[in-house]
Every structure is written in C-alpha cells, then in structure tokens.
Amino acid sequence: MAFLELKNVSKSFGSHSVLSGVNLSIADGEFVAIVGYSGQGKTTLISLIAGLIKPDSGEVSLEGDIVTGPGPDRGLVFQNYSLLPWLSVYENIALAVDQVFPQWDAARRRTHVDKYIAMVKLSHAKDRLPKQLSGGMRQRVSVARTLAINPRILLLDEPLGALDALTRATLQDEIASIWQTERKTVILITNSVDEALLLADRIIPLTIGPGATLGESVPVSLARPRDRTALNHDPEFKRLRALVTNQLLGFNASRKTSVTKKLIRPEILPEDLDAPRVNRPPRRPDEEKRESIQIA
Amino acid sequence: MNKFKFDWLILPVVGVLIILAAWHIVGGKKVYSLTTGMAELGTTVAALPEGEAQWKALAPKLKSGEIEATETKRLRPDVWEAISSSFEEKRIGLIPDLPNVVETWDSSKPYIVDPWAKRGEMDQGILRFTWYSLVLVAQGYAIALIIGVPVGFFLGLSPTFTKMFDPLIQVLRPVSPLAWLPLGLVLFMRAGPEAGTYAALFTIALCGMWPTVLNTAVGVRAVPQDYLNVGRVLKLSRWKMLTKILIPATLPYMFTGFRLSLGIAWLAIVAAEMLTGRPGAGGFLWQEYNALIYEHIIFSILTIGIVGLILDRLMSLVEARFKAIS
Ligand SMILES: Nc1ncnc2c1ncn2[C@@H]1O[C@H](COP(=O)(O)OP(=O)(O)OP(=O)(O)O)[C@@H](O)[C@H]1O
Ligand SMILES: [Mg+2]
C-alpha cells in the first residue's frame, strides 16, 4: 500500500478547473519533487494533500486513511512562510510544539524547540521577530516549525522560490542534509528542474491547466549525497534535466496560453467609515490589479 | 534637526499666533465712557489727597470721553472709586460681546494657577474639572470597549450576523450624543440620584462604541488566510485560534478603533455634562454660559480641545506600537 495516495482528484474554483484527474502514489520515505509552471495549481495540489481544501471529486489518503481536514501529521511549509508576525522565532515554533506535544513537560518542549532552531542555524536570532529576519532566515524558521512537529510527511510549497541563487543553494543543501538524517517522506513543489534533480528521488511534472494533471514521473537515480558542482558534468544529470525540461516544454508546444492571475497582497486599506458598507469586503490597494503573462 | 524644529515647533506656534491675533482683532473690549462733564470730575479728583497730580495724569486719557477698562486698573484705587460713578460701562469692537485674548486670560487665570482648587460645586480648578470628566469618560469608554470588541468579532466572523445587524449599526452610528442623552435619562429615570451619571455613561458608551465595533470587524475580516491555515494545520482549538491568531492579528485594527472611540467618548462627555449639569469640563462651560461669563466658555473650549488632543496622541503612541509589529 502506498504511503500517500491521490485517486482521481479534481478541483475547480467556480467554473475554473484547476486540477483534474490527478493520480499520485508515494512510498514511505520517498522524496518526490513536483515541478510546474506558475499558476497551474501546485499550491492547490499541496493544499489538497494538506487537507486545507477539499477535492471536488476523488480522494486523498495517507497510510490508508482518507484525508478529511488539515492536521499536524502533514507538515506544510507555506509558500509565503506564514510566520506569525507578532511572535518571535522561538515563539512561532513553540506555538506549534506546545500544540502538538501537550503531554511533554515544559522543559522538554523548550529543548525540543531549541534543537530545531539550532538545526536551521538560527540560535543567535531566536528572539527576533519575523520582520527582523531576511527572507532566507524566515524560510528556515518556517521549515524548522514544520520539522519540529515531527509530521509523517513533509509538504514543501516552493520553499526557496523567493530567494536569491546563493541563499537558495545553501538552503537546498540544508534540506538535503536534514532529509538524510530524518528520512521523512517529502513532497517538494518547485519551479526549478535543477533543484528537483538535486534533491528528489522522483520528479513529477504538472501539466498546464485548465484541468492540469500530473505527467509521467521521472525517477532520479543519481547517487547521494549529490554535489551541485559535480552534478553539472554528470551525463545522467544532463540527460534527466533535458528529459524533464522537454516534458515541461512539451506541454506548451501545442498552444500558447495567457495566464491571468489576480494578485492579492495582504494589505487592506483602512475602512472608509462614511461609505455605505453593506456586504462590502475589505478594500485592498491593488484590488483590481491583474497581471497578464504571455507564455512562449 | 533644524528642519525638524522648524516644521514641528515653529510653524505650529506661528499658526497659533495668527489665530490669536485674529481673535484679538474681532474680539471686543470693555470701555468706560464719561457721563458727566470733565470739570466736575476734576474737582472730585482734586479733593483727594495729592489729587492735583493724579488729575494731571488722568485728564489727557479722558480727552476722548472714554477710558479702557484695562487703564482703570492702573489708577490709584481711591481715585477710581471716587469717579467710577460718572462712567458708563460698555463694550466696543467688531463682535463686542466676544471676550478678547487678554480678558480671557485674566479671567481664566485663577482656574489655571490653582488647578486643583475646590471653591464650590461649579467653581473648581481646571484640572479638577478635567479629572471629573476623565473619570466618567474612562468608565463609559470601558463599557464601550467591553461591548464593542466582541460585537466587532461577531460581525467580522459571521456574515449572517453582519447582514442582520450591520444596517442597524449604520442607523445608530450617526446619532449625536445630544440625541442619546434624553433617552438615557428616560431609561434610568428610576435609578435615583445617580440617574444623570448612568445616562451619561449610556451616552458615552453608545456613541463611543461604533469605531471599535467597525474597525474590529474589518480587522477580523482582514486576517490573512495564511495565518488561519497555520492554526488549522496545527489543529488549534477554537479558543486558541481566537487568542493565539485572530486577536493578535486584529489588534492593530482594534487599536485604531480604540483611538477613534476615545475621541468620540470625549465628544460625548461634554454633551452629557452640559445636559445633566454635572461638574466637569463640559458642565463648567454650560454653567458659565448661563452665568454670562463668556471668557470661561472660550477657556473651556480650549481645555476640552487640548485634553482631547492629548488623549489622541497617547492612543496613537499605543496604536503605533501594535502597527509596527505586524
Ligand atoms: N481560493 C481560490 N479561489 C479562486 N481561484 C483560485 C484559488 N486558489 C487558486 N486559484 C486559482 O487556481 C490556479 C492555480 O493556483 P495555485 O496557487 O495552485 O498555482 P501555483 O501553481 O501554486 O502557482 P505559483 O507557482 O505562482 O505559486 C490559479 O489560476 C489561481 O488563480
Ligand atoms: Mg503556489
């Protein structure tokens, strides 16, 4: 029996079909990378697995149990970190640990939190608030928070997407070494084929929507630990990279598509107390801003 | 640094001076005009000890037949006493009944130099009056927050609740404190001697509540879904979701509401005191209007404004702290 299984999962928002007929089966301890274009439903897929949203049809099951809602057994590292801005690094992680291990005494929980802060090399910054951290540091806190609750499966939603190349490389190595020691099942969402090849046992491309689904998976049999520089000259690496890249490009070959994405930033304008307010949602400065991308 | 001082210190001072000058120009002043002949007056003054010298100094000032009230204070007391019956008091100027800056200051001085004085029910130092008002505002404001925050949370969390009560809130919100107070008096009519206090509290709480209610509701709706997802993944209980995520995420909005509410509570107190005749900054204003001491009306207005400003500044400091975090 597969550890995590998705059977014929479909999801649409309104009349917009995002995912349709997604099948996926992941073994215990496997590191799977899902690569795909922006806006094609990667976050939607991982949210379905996390249980944050429900599939319209099909089912998600973890070790045979059907997923009905979110829970700490599926540790999700959010695409935008989602640290609580009013809590320090320590408190952000402690909130999760206190909630998941209430049976432990306070001292044990404290050591546990400290251990994971040390694991992502942030002991010196443990009392800082998220806004006092760099993007890479925030991402590490987010990873530490998720690892600290000891989930059965780790869901990483483009964890390094917003980082510069150097930080990205460092964190890739950290993720690789954490995975070596913890041997957890991992699903990594990424838009970088190189990143997927460096970290994963298997790469699955996500096709292009509407109604995106998972493409044919590509096993990565490169020996571990993988060294970034050495890999660049490895013929197998080159072959796999060409294979996955061509697969992704193939989705596009038949058509050009333009993606319209509604950008929603978290800022909200102050309420205009004089305007009529019946049924009016909070206003945002960029409420109407849309971005159109021509995909070649 | 220099630029800073210029912007934040010198310019406001200049503004205040301009307004004071304008006020002084349109304000009236008190003068005494002569009703008898000069000669008569001369004889009266000359009869006093060293009267000749006194008259020499006084005579030129009376040429126009009028003498300013401020001038008479500089005369020897016995001189003025002897001649004052020959004068008639009147006010001149653009708006004769509006006290000018000097008159206002002179007349208000006792309330400022001895701010804690208690000379009578309606004759007390200004800080003591302000204190009475602040105590009442604090009570009404506390009630407003205790009711307003939960109502705001319900509005923010439940669309049904919003649809049910939002129209009602929109109707009640613009009603002036002056309109609520009589209703408050009726409601607490049988509450005995404290009825006025209860009515005042009712008015302050009711008027001051809305900014807190509405801002809390907006804040709750604005909590990013991601924060809630963090709580959902951890399976936080409803209570923990509220205390660990919703409330902290809403605090900056709540404090904006608190600040606006305090401003309105302070507006309402003045109206409440005026109508109930309680001692306090607003009650004093009304009583002095009835006593025709117009200087004190201006003095009260300034006091109320300055206290309101200080309250607002203090709340902004607190608010800024919470804004800075998220
Ligand atoms: N809650 C929602 N309501 C309506 N549409 C949504 C919602 N969430 C996602 N979508 C739409 O579903 C599509 C896929 O979104 P998703 O966030 O899963 O993309 P993604 O692959 O994660 O993109 P990115 O790489 O930019 O993170 C988009 O077109 C988006 O507009
Ligand atoms: Mg995404």
Side-chain angles (χ1 to χ4, degrees):
Chain A
M1 185 185 62
F3 184 69
L4 176 84
E5 184 136 42
L6 272 73
K7 277 194 217 137
N8 214 9
V9 169
S10 302
K11 178 76 197 172
S12 4
F13 292 109
S15 61
H16 174 56
S17 160
V18 179
L19 296 171
S20 80
V22 174
N23 288 294
L24 175 66
S25 155
I26 294 177
D28 193 8
E30 201 179 3
F31 194 131
V32 170
I34 293 173
V35 288
Y37 292 101
S38 182
Q40 298 312 308
K42 302 189 297 297
T43 299
T44 308
L45 177 62
I46 212 132
S47 305
L48 283 165
I49 298 172
L52 289 170
I53 54 178
K54 290 197 169 60
D56 298 336
S57 64
E59 61 185 39
V60 179
S61 56
L62 185 69
E63 290 187 304
D65 302 327
I66 291 183
V67 167
T68 52
D73 54 343
R74 281 147 292 138
L76 175 57
V77 175
F78 296 86
Q79 186 165 7
N80 51 8
Y81 321 141
S82 288
L83 300 176
L84 303 178
W86 55 90
L87 297 181
S88 69
V89 168
Y90 180 91
E91 290 163 337
N92 261 289
I93 300 175
L95 174 71
V97 170
D98 292 349
Q99 174 67 19
V100 177
F101 303 110
Q103 70 279 17
W104 294 359
D105 62 44
R108 179 158 177 210
R109 290 197 297 253
R110 203 158 47 235
T111 345
H112 188 76
V113 173
D114 283 331
K115 177 180 139 195
Y116 281 90
I117 295 179
M119 180 188 272
V120 294
K121 306 189 181 72
L122 282 174
S123 303
H124 64 287
K126 69 181 222 179
D127 294 319
R128 291 200 214 159
L129 291 174
K131 65 165 181 178
Q132 298 165 315
L133 303 176
S134 72
M137 291 161 99
R138 285 181 209 177
Q139 192 56 67
R140 271 140 66 190
V141 179
S142 180
V143 171
R145 176 175 64 182
T146 304
L147 287 173
I149 58 173
N150 195 23
R152 288 195 280 170
I153 182 168
L154 202 54
L155 309 171
L156 307 174
D157 187 1
E158 295 196 54
L160 312 179
L163 305 179
D164 65 275
L166 282 174
T167 318
R168 197 168 173 151
T170 322
L171 290 191
Q172 281 165 354
D173 293 344
E174 275 179 36
I175 290 177
S177 82
I178 289 169
W179 183 73
Q180 291 283 3
T181 46
E182 303 242 333
R183 283 287 164 184
K184 279 198 190 315
T185 314
V186 179
I187 299 182
L188 169 75
I189 302 278
T190 178
N191 53 25
S192 154
V193 178
D194 286 15
E195 183 170 286
L197 283 167
L198 186 72
L199 296 170
D201 296 323
R202 188 148 63 101
I203 300 180
I204 311 176
L206 183 70
T207 66
I208 283 179
T213 187
L214 291 176
E216 207 174 312
S217 62
V218 177
V220 182
S221 49
L222 300 163
R224 288 178 192 270
R226 295 171 190 164
D227 177 73
R228 183 173 293 100
T229 357
L231 273 185
N232 274 323
H233 307 290
D234 186 330
E236 173 67 359
F237 173 82
K238 287 183 189 163
R239 187 186 70 81
L240 288 170
R241 181 163 63 177
L243 185 68
V244 177
T245 312
N246 283 330
Q247 218 173 343
L248 284 170
L249 289 174
F251 300 144
N252 272 317
S254 51
R255 62 200 171 119
K256 286 191 171 155
T257 174
S258 135
V259 184
T260 303
K261 192 170 178 199
K262 194 169 180 191
L263 300 174
I264 297 182
R265 289 193 281 150
E267 308 99 294
I268 306 244
L269 295 170
E271 178 96 326
D272 176 3
L273 293 177
D274 296 322
R277 250 185 75 262
V278 182
N279 265 344
R280 184 153 61 70
R283 289 183 307 130
R284 300 164 195 266
D286 55 350
E287 192 90 80
E288 303 308 326
K289 197 166 116 196
R290 276 161 182 276
E291 189 179 62
S292 265
I293 311 162
Q294 236 334 299
I295 295 179
Chain B
M1 187 61 209
N2 265 342
K3 171 87 177 132
F4 179 83
K5 262 193 186 158
F6 186 71
D7 276 3
W8 294 101
L9 199 67
I10 300 180
L11 288 182
V13 168
V14 171
V16 168
L17 289 178
I18 290 173
I19 297 301
L20 283 182
W23 166 21
H24 203 70
I25 290 167
V26 298
K29 61 185 175 188
K30 194 155 93 176
V31 295
Y32 294 99
S33 67
L34 200 54
T35 49
T36 56
M38 282 284 272
E40 242 173 88
L41 217 56
T43 351
T44 322
V45 176
L48 295 170
E50 294 165 49
E52 300 285 354
Q54 288 293 322
W55 179 243
K56 255 198 193 122
L58 181 60
K61 292 180 186 167
L62 287 174
K63 280 266 160 59
S64 63
E66 273 181 356
I67 182 165
E68 283 192 27
T70 42
E71 291 277 344
T72 63
K73 293 205 183 105
R74 280 187 230 141
L75 297 175
R76 225 170 63 187
D78 60 325
V79 173
W80 178 240
E81 200 177 322
I83 62 173
S84 59
S85 57
S86 316
F87 288 91
E88 181 183 72
E89 189 184 313
K90 68 175 188 188
R91 296 192 61 87
I92 56 166
L94 220 52
I95 306 175
D97 292 318
L98 177 70
N100 63 34
V101 177
V102 177
E103 288 171 338
T104 307
W105 169 251
D106 282 344
S107 158
S108 310
K109 226 162 138 189
Y111 296 89
I112 299 170
V113 292
D114 194 3
W116 281 107
K118 183 161 184 173
R119 292 176 286 258
E121 168 83 348
M122 274 300 172
D123 186 10
Q124 310 189 22
I126 196 60
L127 280 185
R128 194 177 275 275
F129 273 141
T130 305
W131 176 249
Y132 293 148
S133 297
L134 283 176
V135 168
L136 201 63
V137 163
Q139 293 167 349
Y141 182 57
I143 298 173
L145 299 198
I146 290 168
I147 299 175
V149 170
V151 172
F153 265 91
F154 280 122
L155 281 176
L157 289 173
S158 156
T160 318
F161 193 85
T162 305
K163 282 179 197 142
M164 246 193 279
F165 292 108
D166 194 68
L168 192 67
I169 289 175
Q170 299 309 324
V171 169
L172 298 185
R173 194 165 60 84
V175 177
S176 149
L178 289 167
W180 284 119
L181 196 86
L183 179 63
L185 288 171
V186 172
L187 283 177
F188 297 104
M189 195 128 70
R190 297 176 190 237
E194 285 299 302
T197 309
Y198 295 144
L201 288 178
F202 166 80
T203 307
I204 296 166
L206 201 60
C207 292
M209 195 161 75
W210 307 123
T212 296
V213 168
L214 296 178
N215 277 282
T216 305
V218 171
V220 170
R221 286 183 209 124
V223 175
Q225 183 64 39
D226 300 312
Y227 297 171
L228 302 177
N229 281 346
V230 169
R232 288 175 64 203
V233 166
L234 293 174
K235 285 205 166 150
L236 294 184
S237 61
R238 271 168 172 267
W239 176 247
K240 277 202 167 168
M241 200 78 161
L242 185 71
T243 55
K244 300 273 179 184
I245 296 187
L246 270 175
I247 292 180
T250 313
L251 270 183
Y253 286 84
M254 277 163 50
F255 270 89
T256 303
F258 292 172
R259 179 169 59 81
L260 298 175
S261 281
L262 186 57
I264 294 193
W266 184 245
L267 274 180
I269 179 77
V270 174
E273 283 178 354
M274 281 171 76
L275 291 188
T276 55
R278 299 171 51 86
F284 178 61
L285 192 159
W286 192 243
Q287 119 104 20
E288 298 303 278
Y289 168 68
N290 288 325
L292 309 178
I293 308 177
Y294 302 145
E295 292 87 348
H296 292 172
I297 297 182
I298 298 178
F299 174 54
S300 298
I301 291 175
L302 290 175
T303 307
I304 292 165
I306 290 169
V307 172
L309 174 77
I310 294 172
L311 291 179
D312 191 73
R313 289 294 98 182
L314 291 178
M315 283 305 287
S316 322
L317 288 183
V318 184
E319 190 189 342
R321 269 194 59 95
F322 283 95
K323 284 256 152 77
I325 292 173
S326 31

